């Protein structure tokens, strides 16, 4: 994908967050990476979505150096970059402050697998990263936030766990491309809402889905013998 097409894809993904009511004002951002060129395209900082166009997307390299002139990249850039550096299978990242997912983040609680809707999309409980220490906040805050996300994901397949909660902050999601990253944001918010309502109805008890049901529902969509979708001939 050439750079102009990647900027258009990132712009469209950011606008999709607005359309899905996952962000307001300047909250949130989407980025995508061109691995061959080593370039990252991300929403610029502090600009309302309605004021943006595809040409306004910021471009950097993997070290955070801005490429060309233009608007400064999102202040969350270093979080995105750290994830890209650690997980080469990730092609795009989305960040929101959507209501229910952020509520779980602020409670510093993982989202349990209460039902098959969750298991269809995320292979296991959606984790919440640990809070940053004071030293981590005071020294290279955004990069350390990215490192804590990567620390939490260690040993996991990030394409099986397409999102995470960050303590006191909000959700980050990802995928092979910008559309997939945004789709995970949309789904995560719905799962967070369902989980909250379930926990309220259950009176705090955790009647989680059995592990064999989690495995079945995830692998029938994404496993080697998946059969959920129409086969392509």
């Amino acid at each position: 994908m050439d750079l102009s097409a990647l900027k258009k894809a990132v712009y469209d993904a950011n606008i999709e967050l607005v359309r899905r009511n996952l962000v307001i004002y300047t909250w949130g951002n989407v980025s995508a990476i061109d691995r061959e060129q080593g370039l990252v395209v991300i929403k610029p900082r502090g600009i309302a979505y309605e004021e943006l166009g595809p040409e306004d997307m910021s471009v950097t390299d993997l070290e955070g150096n801005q490429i060309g002139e233009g608007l400064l990249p999102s202040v969350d850039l270093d979080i995105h970059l750290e994830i890209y550096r650690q997980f080469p299978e990730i092609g795009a990242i989305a960040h929101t402050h959507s209501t229910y997912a952020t509520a779980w983040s602020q409670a510093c609680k993982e989202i349990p697998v209460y039902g098959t809707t969750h298991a269809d999309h995320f292979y296991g409980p959606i984790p919440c990263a640990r809070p940053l220490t004071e030293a981590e906040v005071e020294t290279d805050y955004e990069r350390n936030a990215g490192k804590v996300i990567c620390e939490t994901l260690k040993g996991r397949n990030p394409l099986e766990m397409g999102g995470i909660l960050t303590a006191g902050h909000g959700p980050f999601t990802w995928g092979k491309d910008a559309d997939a990253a945004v789709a995970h944001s949309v789904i995560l918010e719905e799962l967070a809402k369902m989980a909250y309502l379930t926990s309220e109805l259950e009176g705090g008890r955790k009647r989680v889905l059995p592990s064999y049901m989690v495995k079945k529902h995830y692998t029938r969509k994404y496993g080697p013998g998946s059969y959920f979708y129409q086969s392509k001939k």
Side-chain angles (χ1 to χ4, degrees):
M1 184 181 293
D2 64 35
L3 187 56
S4 62
L6 188 60
K7 291 173 80 170
K8 177 64 163 56
V10 170
Y11 167 77
D12 288 344
N14 276 283
I15 296 304
E16 182 68 1
L17 291 182
V18 178
R19 196 176 75 81
R20 294 286 185 170
N21 297 314
L22 297 183
V23 297
I24 59 174
Y25 296 119
T26 62
W27 301 6
N29 42 72
V30 178
S31 72
I33 184 169
D34 182 323
R35 293 283 180 183
E36 290 186 1
Q37 298 186 71
L39 297 178
V40 173
V41 176
I42 191 168
K43 177 185 175 289
R45 69 183 67 175
I47 306 293
Y49 290 88
E50 61 268 21
E51 297 176 13
L52 291 171
E55 69 283 356
D56 296 315
M57 300 298 102
S58 299
V59 183
T60 78
D61 62 21
L62 266 171
E63 298 306 314
N65 301 305
Q66 190 162 355
I67 306 300
E69 298 180 354
L71 297 169
L72 293 173
S74 167
V75 294
D76 291 327
L77 172 67
D78 283 340
I79 301 176
H80 292 237
L81 294 180
E82 191 63 29
I83 297 170
Y84 286 134
R85 285 191 288 262
Q86 293 292 327
F87 297 103
E89 53 271 74
I90 290 176
I93 299 167
H95 170 50
T96 77
H97 293 265
S98 59
T99 303
Y100 282 87
T102 301
W104 285 90
S105 300
Q106 292 177 171
C108 300
K109 292 183 177 181
E110 70 176 17
I111 300 177
V113 188
Y114 284 127
T116 61
T117 311
H118 182 136
D120 279 341
H121 300 283
F122 290 81
Y123 200 5
I126 298 165
C128 185
R130 66 168 175 82
L132 273 68
T133 66
E134 184 175 357
E136 288 170 330
V137 171
E138 294 300 324
T139 57
D140 212 353
Y141 168 54
E142 287 81 13
R143 184 165 188 179
N144 284 330
K147 287 182 176 180
V148 168
I149 290 172
C150 296
E151 170 191 302
T152 307
L153 293 171
K154 188 174 181 180
R156 298 173 183 259
N157 180 341
L159 297 183
E160 292 181 349
M161 181 53 61
I164 196 169
L165 308 176
T166 53
H169 188 176
F172 283 80
T173 61
W174 44 77
K176 292 183 177 180
D177 55 29
D179 288 343
V182 169
H184 279 137
S185 288
V186 175
I187 295 164
L188 175 54
E189 176 63 7
E190 288 301 308
L191 296 179
K193 183 176 182 179
M194 291 177 191
Y196 171 76
L197 294 172
T198 301
S199 66
E200 287 293 296
L201 289 168
E202 285 287 280
R205 295 191 301 275
K206 287 190 175 182
R207 197 188 304 272
V208 297
L209 198 68
S211 59
Y212 59 86
M213 284 287 285
V214 175
K215 180 179 180 180
K216 181 63 175 180
H217 271 263
Y218 189 84
T219 57
R220 72 175 186 158
K221 290 189 75 171
Y222 301 111
S226 61
Y227 59 89
F228 187 87
Y229 295 106
Q230 293 288 327
S231 59
K232 295 180 179 179
K233 297 181 179 180

